[in-house]
Amino acid sequence: MQRLPGSQPFGSAPLAPMVSQPNVLQPYGPPPTSAQVTAQLAGMQISGAVAPAPPPSGLGYGPPTSLASASGSFPNSGLYGSYPQGQAPPLSQAQGHSGTQPPQRSAPLPASNFTPPASGVPRMPSMTGPPLPGQGFGGPPVSQPNHVSSPPPQALHPGTQMSGLPGPPPPMHSSQQPGYQLQQNGSFGPARGPQPNYGSPYPAAPTFGSQPGPPQPLPPKRLDPDAIPSPIQVIEDDRNNRGSEPFVTGVRGQVPPLVTTNFLVKDQGNASPRYIRCTSYNIPCTSDMAKQAQVPLAAVIKPLARLPPEEALPYVVDHGESGPLRCNRCKAYMCPFMQFIEGGRRFQCCFCSCINDVPPQYFQHLDHTGKRVDAYDRPELSLGSYEFLATVDYCKNNKFPSPPAFIFMIDVSYNAIRSGLVRLLCEELKSLLDFLPREGGAEESAIRVGFVTYNKVLHFYNVKSSLAQPQMMVVSDVADMFVPLLDGFLVNVSESRAVITSLLDQIPEMFADTRETETVFAPVIQAGMEALKAAECAGKLFLFHTSLPIAEAPGKLKNRDDRKLINTDKEKTLFQPQTGAYQSLAKDCVAQGCCVDLFLFPNQYMDVATLSVVPQLTGGSVYKYTCFQVENDQERFLSDLRRDVQKVVGFDAVMRVRTSTGIRAVDFFGAFYMSNTTDVELAGLDGDKTVTVEFKHDDRLNEESGALLQCALLYTSCAGQRRLRIHNLALNCCTQLADLYRNCETDTLINYMAKFAYRGVLNSPVKNVRDSLITQCAQILACYRKNCASPSSAGQLILPECMKLLPVYLNCVLKSDVLQPGAEVTTDDRAYVRQLVTSMDVAETNVFFYPRLLPLTKSPIESTTEPPAVRASEERLSNGDIYLLENGLNLFLWVGASVQQGIVQSLFNISSFSQIPSGLSVLPVLDNPLSKKVRGLIDSLRAQRSRYMKLIVVKQEDKLEMLFKHFLVEDKSLNGGASYVDFLCHMHKEIRQLLS
């Protein structure tokens, strides 16, 4: 933690300078009312002269605001396809400016009460006797020279109101640390306690009789948005402080740089944060302490994460026929934390403490420190992440697996043919099949391919290399699905190139005149799985599907879309599958190692909640292109398809997370299946997917030994090789709550909380899910306030330094389409986003919930770096500028109405703002610096994300602006979501209720 200017070390935490706080409700009087809380936060003083401010409105804890009464914008209605009708209200004319740094001290207090000292910081006096009521014990007294002694506190009567009494403050507990606090004057700065007058260079707060007459009330004042914690500033500070040095993983319990910071990782014994990120890197030693803090203990694990080119892939270790060395009792794999004893002949397991013999072939002598002399030659003894080649014992039926297969299953019903999808897809596959994933230096991929088309019946194709033309076989008995051919269905691309090309040319022509509108769905997956089973291999099905499967067949669905269920107890049924058939189908797929990736092209309700069950449980992905049109959507679809086909996947995988004694994994979130309480089963796992694991205490932890996690993933590579990938991480343990709060990671916390809430909507009313999120956040912050912050007025909101963005990010989760949908968000959109977030990594949830807003004309045109972002609020927009906004799925270019004509000409090749076509999705390729810069930035943003973001150009005051404003998450949303400022006030009120 950075030390504040002028602070001095004290105990285990830096101590902020103490500053007097006039006009602040003192903590010793009766608890304030909610109106007083609001008034305090708004910078008012409660007295007869000033009416109390109303509580913040539109927090979304009651019914949504009506369109007539709401200020702000329409919610996102066309995030995933369609756009709202009607005109947007005009934007404010406020000049946009970058997020300013929260001030290092509170805003200047009235001159009559505060004069900054010339220099020096007051020292804290010692305190004798018990602490004052409500203050708690403050740890050992600290003697300081030259202080004025005070009357013993015993002389005070209990319940005496102590506003402004002279005397020493209580000493700061060793666990107390400065956080961030909201001052009464509306500013937000480093936390400071009340400062009585004891002869320090700081003048005191007025005592009784120090000034005549009652204190004058401050004028009513809205909380200044510039003075509350800014995500942009926090991100910028972390980039500046931690972006230049590599993150070396040798030290236990280090908090890594933020996900928004570009940094290199040097593995020196702990897994890179690209593989594992934790909500806290310092775990409470006891379950009581964990319950008190309410901070979830979780890890977001991305076992096959892609690394930047500068970082080496995990080393592959081959121990031959004996296989990897493991603990006999808990089965943990050899890692840098194992302790070798008895001259290297035995080792003690760091997870369960069992003593194991070292096999003769693995023996090595120890050096004078007790470390093996070959430690740095062996990845498993010196690195946090590495791979073992698995022996035949780790394979199904005790035989090594065959290389996996890809089966392309194409809907050829009327909708798919008419939209041009089938022709586009067949054309693309001809070239895409040359880019199947391959191992290391292999010349060609080992993956075999097969093809199926379907509507109400299924068509299998024999593309054996010896055939002159492909052969079609039709299976019309969809109730009893079987694969009509084995030989010639799954083939090597290079061998059957001519036959495959012929087939892909013929498919669009064969079905060009189809009138069949009905489709089946479950039998298609069944057929693909049976084909992999017959070939005795794992693999992936790529399904391209256009409509609700209403044809008579297993898995037939009905249209059950009902918006009237929103905000009722039955709303949860909209997220649940409408039949159990897909769960049992998914279970069979997982057993076979059959992963399903689903590409949906709906024109109306399709029941994504049910259709996504199989992809979700098999580790697959869902892509959705609402109202697909080739001319508008082909770039997005083809880009997603290319990336999906080419990405490296682990097949037929099982993952287990082991922990050292004291904690255990109790809950899991992500796209996978679990048949027991410990094994995460994944038919497929790619480099984008995460598994989130929550831990609970089952015993007391030890500060000295810390806590250990080991994630072991057993999988089949694209070449058919069985491997084990191991990730290890050591965390600190603490007995002081302040150490927990000092080592938390808010981005990971929000990732976990969003996933927890998004799973909650399957079983609970959405309102209850929202309320429980708010309660948990309030408990986390109230515990910090009560146990770690120095005593100060109840009128101040105090946040831990590393959690100061928790309220703004949590508010974004609460306002998201899953938990608070706008009128235009469809049931399918909500189900789609819900399953998408379930396996997102921390970087993806960070930008998804708090989008990036980049002004494009503020930085020099010749600059090649990304322009600094501004806060996601309408008041940051200048109508003379253009902005890019992205959240990982959507990309907008907002053009202000007063933008210079030269900029319009350079970007759009037209002469005026009014001529820019609404909803434009491609920028013209022009040979000028601004056009090149903006197009280059768009390409760069797309390259950072796992899905292609389609561009939408939005003009100020155009009807599309409603859609754009939905992403300005610091503002109040029209569907009842609170603004950041209002939510902060609400959160403060919740904390005070808990403390009182």
Side-chain angles (χ1 to χ4, degrees), residues 669-680:
F669 304 82
F672 52 77
Y673 177 76
M674 290 187 82
S675 55
N676 58 38
T677 56
T678 53
D679 294 331
V680 176

Side-chain angles (χ1 to χ4, degrees), residues 345-671:
R345 286 186 296 279
R346 307 177 92 184
F347 72 91
Q348 182 169 23
C349 176
C350 51
F351 292 92
C352 70
S353 303
C354 175
I355 307 282
N356 298 267
D357 289 330
V358 173
Q361 73 273 18
Y362 198 76
F363 173 79
Q364 186 54 269
H365 295 285
L366 308 185
D367 65 14
H368 65 285
T369 65
K371 212 178 178 105
R372 281 173 59 121
V373 295
D374 65 347
Y376 292 106
D377 300 329
R378 290 189 176 272
E380 74 273 22
L381 298 182
S382 55
L383 298 176
S385 301
Y386 41 89
E387 289 198 327
F388 291 118
L389 283 187
T391 58
V392 74
D393 307 334
Y394 291 86
C395 303
K396 260 187 200 160
N397 308 324
N398 273 4
K399 68 180 209 183
F400 285 112
S402 307
F406 283 0
I407 303 177
F408 296 91
M409 316 189 87
I410 305 167
D411 176 349
V412 287
S413 64
Y414 176 72
N415 276 343
I417 297 291
R418 188 196 60 179
S419 68
L421 169 65
V422 174
R423 189 174 296 279
L424 177 72
L425 175 58
C426 289
E427 202 54 46
E428 175 64 26
L429 285 177
K430 286 185 211 170
S431 56
L432 186 54
L433 294 177
D434 290 330
F435 297 98
L436 300 177
R438 64 193 75 179
E439 283 289 284
E443 282 187 24
E444 60 176 54
S445 175
I447 291 172
R448 293 168 296 162
V449 298
F451 301 89
V452 174
T453 57
Y454 68 94
N455 39 48
K456 266 167 66 171
V457 297
L458 277 74
H459 323 104
F460 292 79
Y461 296 93
N462 186 343
V463 283
K464 198 173 181 180
S465 58
S466 56
L467 296 173
Q469 284 292 322
Q471 297 172 346
M472 177 204 274
M473 297 186 182
V474 180
V475 176
S476 51
D477 184 5
V478 289
D480 185 19
M481 184 46 62
F482 68 99
V483 181
L485 77 161
L486 288 179
D487 189 30
F489 179 63
L490 293 178
V491 296
N492 178 290
V493 174
S494 57
E495 289 171 11
S496 296
R497 162 75 59 199
V499 193
I500 291 172
T501 303
S502 172
L503 171 66
L504 294 171
D505 284 336
Q506 289 179 43
I507 287 173
E509 308 307 328
M510 266 192 289
F511 299 98
D513 300 324
T514 186
R515 287 286 169 265
E516 185 53 76
T517 56
E518 291 188 1
T519 57
V520 295
F521 187 73
V524 183
I525 296 174
Q526 180 85 30
M529 182 191 67
E530 296 290 352
L532 294 175
K533 200 174 194 174
E536 296 185 343
C537 69
K540 185 182 270 199
L541 312 183
F542 295 84
L543 243 84
F544 305 89
H545 191 78
T546 61
S547 60
L548 190 70
I550 55 170
E552 211 50 60
K556 173 185 175 180
L557 301 178
K558 61 179 192 290
N559 188 333
R560 53 161 188 163
D561 192 17
D562 187 359
R563 290 193 62 84
K564 293 197 289 292
L565 298 181
I566 293 176
N567 291 325
T568 71
D569 283 355
K570 288 188 178 172
E571 184 174 4
K572 60 191 174 197
T573 60
L574 297 175
F575 295 109
Q576 297 165 353
Q578 60 170 287
T579 162
Y582 288 96
Q583 268 109 329
S584 54
L585 179 58
K587 184 180 173 183
D588 295 342
C589 284
V590 171
Q592 184 48 48
C594 169
C595 174
V596 179
D597 278 2
L598 180 57
F599 292 78
L600 294 173
F601 304 86
N603 289 331
Q604 52 197 15
Y605 177 73
M606 208 169 179
D607 201 352
V608 173
T610 304
L611 297 188
S612 64
V613 165
V614 179
Q616 178 77 9
L617 292 178
T618 60
S621 305
V622 179
Y623 299 84
K624 181 164 159 287
Y625 310 88
T626 307
C627 303
F628 178 81
Q629 293 175 307
V630 169
E631 59 276 15
N632 292 335
D633 300 298
Q634 76 170 39
E635 194 179 356
R636 179 176 157 225
F637 163 56
L638 294 180
S639 176
D640 285 343
L641 176 63
R642 286 168 195 150
R643 199 172 179 283
D644 197 59
V645 168
Q646 293 174 42
K647 65 187 173 189
V648 173
V649 181
F651 292 97
D652 208 2
V654 182
M655 182 180 119
R656 183 176 279 198
V657 178
R658 293 180 173 84
T659 53
S660 54
T661 311
I663 53 168
R664 63 192 167 93
V666 293
D667 208 352
F668 300 84
F669 304 82

